[in-house]
Amino acid sequence: MSDVQSWIKETVTQNPVVLFMKGTAQFPQCGFSGKAIQLLKASGAENIVTVNVLESPDVRQGIKEYSNWPTIPQLYIKGEFVGGSDIMSEMYASGELQTLIKG
């Protein structure tokens, strides 16, 4: 396992809510990342760890390989890959995202 893959695994397993996104929570660099942050906050998520993939091409590519998912943002809750902003929207609408975060 590469250093980047090891770092990603450590990050998602040691933090309850991790969002790999373009930009930061305070200044998202794409609409999908901005929507993901809004959904997390609306769901009651606290202490969200965000990783700005624009700061590292290795992390940007590495997270896609780690999850076998081609797009960013990517949400991890308790070490498990949840999905991107579309999946988060569906889960929020059904109440599943809030349950997962509070669980």
Side-chain angles (χ1 to χ4, degrees), residues 23 41-43 47 54 98:
K41 289 180 178 177
S43 298
N47 302 319
L54 299 177
Q98 298 88 319

Side-chain angles (χ1 to χ4, degrees), residues 67-89:
S67 63
N68 198 23
W69 190 262
T71 59
I72 292 168
Q74 292 187 16
L75 175 64
Y76 291 80
I77 297 178
K78 298 182 183 98
E80 297 294 320
F81 175 60
V82 175
S85 61
D86 290 348
I87 292 170
M88 290 173 67
S89 292

Side-chain angles (χ1 to χ4, degrees), residues 8-100:
I8 290 169
K9 182 175 184 177
E10 186 177 308
T11 300
V12 300
T13 55
Q14 292 186 357
N15 298 286
V17 180
V18 181
L19 183 67
F20 287 81
M21 63 183 290
K22 294 178 181 175
T24 64
Q26 294 77 22
F27 191 67
Q29 297 284 305
C30 83
F32 296 110
S33 291
K35 181 170 189 159
I37 284 291
Q38 288 176 340
L39 290 168
L40 286 172
K41 289 180 178 177
S43 298
E46 297 175 0
N47 302 319
I48 304 164
V49 172
T50 60
V51 178
N52 182 357
V53 299
L54 299 177
E55 292 179 346
S56 170
D58 291 340
V59 171
R60 185 176 185 168
Q61 184 57 38
I63 194 61
K64 293 175 183 179
E65 293 167 3
Y66 183 83
S67 63
N68 198 23
W69 190 262
T71 59
I72 292 168
Q74 292 187 16
L75 175 64
Y76 291 80
I77 297 178
K78 298 182 183 98
E80 297 294 320
F81 175 60
V82 175
S85 61
D86 290 348
I87 292 170
M88 290 173 67
S89 292
E90 292 170 15
M91 290 175 70
Y92 180 79
S94 72
E96 189 179 355
L97 185 61
Q98 298 88 319
T99 301
L100 195 57

